[in-house]
Amino acid sequence: MSPLKSYLYKIFGHLEIYQEIRDLMTPTLEGIDLNGFEGSGLEIGGPSKIFRKSIPVYKRDNNIDFANFSNQTIWEGEIRNFEPVRYYKKRKGRRLISEATELNFKIEKPYDFIISSNCLEHVANPIKALKRWKNVLKNNGKMILILPNKKSSFDHLRSITTIDHLIEDYIKDSGEDDLTHLEEILQLHDLNIDKPAGTFQQFKVRSLNNFLNRGLHHHVFNEININEMLKYSGFNVLNNVTTKIDHIFIAYKN
């Protein structure tokens, strides 16, 4: 627990109050239009801190489901299918266990919007995932896609993935057990930035078991290949914002 978090817990003694204080200290990103992010939503991964205040989707009038690939993840710990999850104040959504490329749970009607933060880079076949996301989104429904800016991440030594490679992965139907990029990752992953990954040997062992933990960043993105990938997948890009940490794209189903 961080010193600030410990201090606020001592004063207020409650997670919800701590989150309210933290939100007040977090700036809201400029240039992000959140019209259309009301109603029924689906987050791939999450809940994510960025959607509390920086891009405050959670504060809008909505009900969000959260799709995670397994009932045990590095980020969420142990979770159960259909269990309720509180994502903002007393507002609750559902956990749904499913691959991001499949979303094989029952959908009563298309979602009004989709959000995803720092998740798609962990998917071996991102175009397949995006096309599936499009299928569960209503016509003209909106999506926020956030991917890491390689300049500030442990991928900063790696090359940007070409759109041709992403399309090839889609055409040959690469599975989530794919380790095509493992050699490159082991050579160029900056462990000095990624302290939780441990030593090189620990990181290698975890990476070889990626199908179980999904820790690898299969691909490296920038504004150009994200834009091309979204268009190939059937989305129209409305606008995008790049910060020191993230590429943030808003698109809609065409």
Side-chain angles (χ1 to χ4, degrees):
M1 185 180 292
S2 69
L4 175 60
K5 194 170 185 178
S6 298
Y7 176 69
L8 290 173
Y9 271 159
K10 285 181 181 178
I11 294 177
F12 299 107
H14 196 281
L15 175 61
E16 189 170 304
I17 299 176
Y18 160 72
Q19 288 176 329
E20 287 294 317
I21 297 298
R22 185 182 65 186
D23 286 352
L24 290 173
M25 299 169 66
T26 303
T28 301
L29 286 174
E30 299 293 333
I32 306 293
D33 181 1
L34 294 182
N35 286 323
F37 291 92
E38 300 83 20
S40 64
L42 175 67
E43 180 170 357
I44 312 296
S48 306
K49 292 178 183 178
I50 195 168
F51 294 125
R52 283 187 60 87
K53 178 59 192 273
S54 297
I55 307 174
V57 174
Y58 294 163
K59 293 185 178 182
R60 303 186 74 80
D61 184 14
N62 53 43
N63 181 68
I64 303 175
D65 291 333
F66 298 88
N68 288 272
F69 78 95
S70 172
N71 58 11
Q72 183 71 44
T73 78
I74 293 174
W75 307 276
E76 301 299 325
E78 186 174 346
I79 56 179
R80 296 192 307 275
N81 206 18
F82 304 119
E83 73 178 352
V85 53
R86 188 168 70 174
Y87 61 94
Y88 185 71
K89 294 188 176 180
K90 295 183 179 181
R91 193 172 293 161
K92 293 181 180 180
R94 298 181 301 166
R95 298 279 193 193
L96 299 170
I97 308 300
S98 180
E99 290 280 7
T101 55
E102 297 175 359
L103 303 184
N104 56 0
F105 42 80
K106 184 177 180 181
I107 299 168
E108 299 293 340
K109 64 177 183 176
Y111 288 100
D112 295 311
F113 66 88
I114 290 175
I115 55 177
S116 179
S117 174
N118 288 267
C119 179
L120 195 62
E121 69 275 16
H122 296 277
V123 176
N125 196 335
I127 290 177
K128 181 178 180 180
L130 286 170
K131 283 180 172 289
R132 179 57 184 145
W133 301 1
K134 180 188 172 188
N135 287 342
V136 302
L137 186 64
K138 73 177 185 180
N139 291 334
N140 296 313
K142 290 185 178 180
M143 177 175 71
I144 297 177
L145 177 65
I146 304 176
L147 290 166
N149 186 341
K150 86 156 197 166
K151 294 178 181 178
S152 60
S153 82
F154 46 67
D155 291 322
H156 66 95
L157 298 174
R158 297 176 63 193
S159 297
I160 299 296
T161 306
T162 66
I163 185 62
D164 289 341
H165 179 89
L166 296 172
I167 293 172
E168 181 184 354
D169 280 344
Y170 172 67
I171 291 173
K172 70 181 185 182
D173 198 22
S174 294
E176 293 311 306
D177 57 351
D178 183 72
L179 291 176
T180 298
H181 299 281
L182 180 58
E183 183 177 350
E184 174 199 3
I185 292 169
L186 292 177
Q187 289 179 355
L188 299 177
H189 188 97
D190 191 345
L191 288 169
N192 291 318
I193 293 177
D194 189 12
K195 295 296 184 183
T199 65
F200 175 79
Q201 189 58 37
Q202 289 170 327
F203 176 64
K204 182 177 181 180
V205 170
R206 191 192 78 180
S207 299
L208 288 168
N209 288 295
N210 186 66
F211 185 74
L212 299 178
N213 59 62
R214 307 299 170 91
L216 290 182
H217 285 189
H218 291 274
H219 306 293
V220 183
F221 296 96
N222 65 1
E223 296 96 330
I224 295 173
N225 65 1
I226 298 171
N227 189 71
E228 292 174 330
M229 177 176 64
L230 285 168
K231 288 183 177 179
Y232 185 89
S233 303
F235 288 92
N236 285 333
V237 175
L238 289 170
N239 67 304
N240 65 283
V241 175
T242 293
T243 71
K244 291 182 179 179
I245 299 173
D246 296 308
H247 299 294
I248 303 163
F249 274 70
I250 298 181
Y252 71 93
K253 175 180 176 177
N254 60 28

